[in-house]
Amino acid sequence: LRSLPHTTQVVLAVTMKFNPRVSSSRRKSRKAHFTADSTSRAKIMSAPLSKELRAKYNVRSMPIRKDDEVTVVRGYYKSREGKVMQVYRRKYVVHIERVTTDKQNGAPVQVGIHPSNVVITRLKLNKDRKAILARKDRSSNKDKVSQAEADASLNDTTLD
């Protein structure tokens, strides 16, 4: 630090990374993003849940999937609602019913919307997604419930 005339000295706070194996390089982050495999892209393509779903499941966001119902909250198509028709992982976009534009010849074409610009209003649930919701549940009594379930499953196995 050098002395500045007639002013107070500026002190810079240095923050350290939590994980030394994770790079903070912009170049490496972009490369990782654009060369990610399909399963990584599925996780990256998460969308926030609506307030009602967030209150119901105590989960903030979920990876988006076909047949979820969403509302667009940003951009030209704001406030449009529809069902997810396709999750286009290669382009990091989702195609939604009734979010289309017309080509020069009049044919409608789907418009890609990034998942961060939508809110999930209804989930298509299957056993895998229910397991994700249970794992991500942030409620305070989750530990008690999971402990009770573990005890119940332990008792079931000892009875056999």
Side-chain angles (χ1 to χ4, degrees), residues 41-100:
R41 286 176 186 241
K43 187 162 182 144
I44 292 170
M45 293 178 69
S46 293
L49 299 182
S50 66
K51 287 199 172 21
E52 296 82 27
L53 290 178
R54 200 181 298 179
K56 181 177 179 181
Y57 295 113
N58 296 307
V59 174
R60 189 168 193 84
S61 64
M62 284 284 289
I64 201 160
R65 93 180 285 270
K66 185 178 174 180
D67 294 331
D68 282 346
E69 290 186 18
V70 298
T71 303
V72 181
V73 292
R74 291 282 182 274
Y76 183 78
Y77 298 97
K78 184 175 183 174
S79 75
R80 295 262 187 109
E81 297 180 12
K83 190 180 281 193
V84 175
M85 296 175 62
Q86 180 185 19
V87 178
Y88 203 156
R89 290 183 187 168
R90 178 172 286 180
K91 291 187 176 181
Y92 284 109
V93 296
V94 293
H95 292 155
I96 304 167
E97 279 181 356
R98 297 186 296 278
V99 179
T100 59

Side-chain angles (χ1 to χ4, degrees), residues 43 59 130-138 142:
K43 187 162 182 144
V59 174
K130 287 178 183 174
I132 292 171
L133 286 170
R135 180 175 51 82
K136 291 180 80 170
D137 188 356
R138 298 170 58 142
K142 181 183 83 167

Side-chain angles (χ1 to χ4, degrees), residues 27-37 44 92:
R27 177 182 183 178
K28 291 179 183 177
S29 295
R30 285 177 56 81
K31 181 175 182 185
H33 178 79
F34 291 111
T35 60
D37 60 327
I44 292 170
Y92 284 109

